[in-house]
């Protein structure tokens, strides 16, 4: 009797997907509730924000880092996750790490042709680099911002912000 029950379970049980991001479709199988694990960047960003509000900076850093990795793998700009990580690092007075996260985001924006995001991120990175005593690196970003001011893809509001903050 036990053999028949095991055989029935094996034939009914769904094949487990190899991807950790798999979501059960339908839910008719015996193991469907176990497959309904969603491992999305937005979920990690939300967990990071919750941890940040609770003051658990280690968890927040880990969750934002997961979201950044996932979004970069998907070819998506990780704006929210990167700014979350930068906020965590800034609270820890790790200005170099915060600036590095934003530098990576700016480089990704540049690769994807998003001049608006690149300009806004570089503007924040300049401030962090100055706070982290990296004036030479801040100057390089400021030079890039001077180029972006003339880019037609950058909004007038961002241009005004650059001009105000870089003077």
């Amino acid at each position: 009797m036990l053999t028949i029950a095991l055989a029935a379970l094996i034939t009914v049980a769904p094949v487990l997907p190899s991807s950790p991001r798999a979501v059960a479709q339908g839910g008719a199988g015996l193991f469907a509730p176990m497959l309904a694990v969603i491992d999305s960047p937005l979920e990690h960003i939300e967990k990071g924000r919750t941890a940040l509000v609770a003051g658990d900076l280690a968890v927040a850093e880990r969750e934002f880092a997961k979201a950044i990795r996932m979004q970069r793998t998907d070819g998506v700009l990780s704006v929210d996750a990167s700014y979350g990580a930068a906020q965590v690092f800034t609270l820890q007075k790790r200005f170099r790490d915060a600036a590095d996260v934003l530098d990576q985001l700016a480089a990704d924006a540049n690769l994807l042709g998003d001049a608006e995001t690149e300009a806004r991120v570089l503007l924040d990175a300049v401030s962090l680099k100055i706070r982290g005593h990296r004036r030479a690196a801040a100057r390089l970003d400021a030079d890039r911002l001077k180029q972006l001011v003339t880019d037609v893809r950058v909004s007038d509001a961002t241009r005004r912000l650059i001009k105000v903050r870089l003077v």
Side-chain angles (χ1 to χ4, degrees), residues 115-116 147-156 159:
E116 176 75 15
Q147 294 171 354
L148 287 170
V149 166
T150 62
D151 193 317
V152 295
R153 299 171 297 168
V154 176
S155 70
D156 290 335
R159 287 181 197 172

Side-chain angles (χ1 to χ4, degrees), residues 74-136:
D74 293 342
V76 175
L77 283 178
S78 58
V79 177
D80 290 339
S82 295
Y83 270 97
Q87 186 176 7
V88 169
F89 293 140
T90 300
L91 289 171
Q92 296 171 332
K93 308 242 185 286
R94 294 167 52 191
F95 302 115
R96 179 178 294 267
D97 291 333
D100 289 346
V101 168
L102 294 185
D103 279 344
Q104 184 61 58
L105 177 58
D108 291 346
N110 184 311
L111 286 174
L112 293 174
D114 188 344
E116 176 75 15
T117 299
E118 181 185 5
R120 287 190 171 266
V121 171
L122 282 177
L123 197 54
D124 293 329
V126 166
S127 298
L128 287 168
K129 288 176 182 175
I130 290 171
R131 288 180 75 182
H133 308 290
R134 296 170 59 195
R135 294 201 183 278

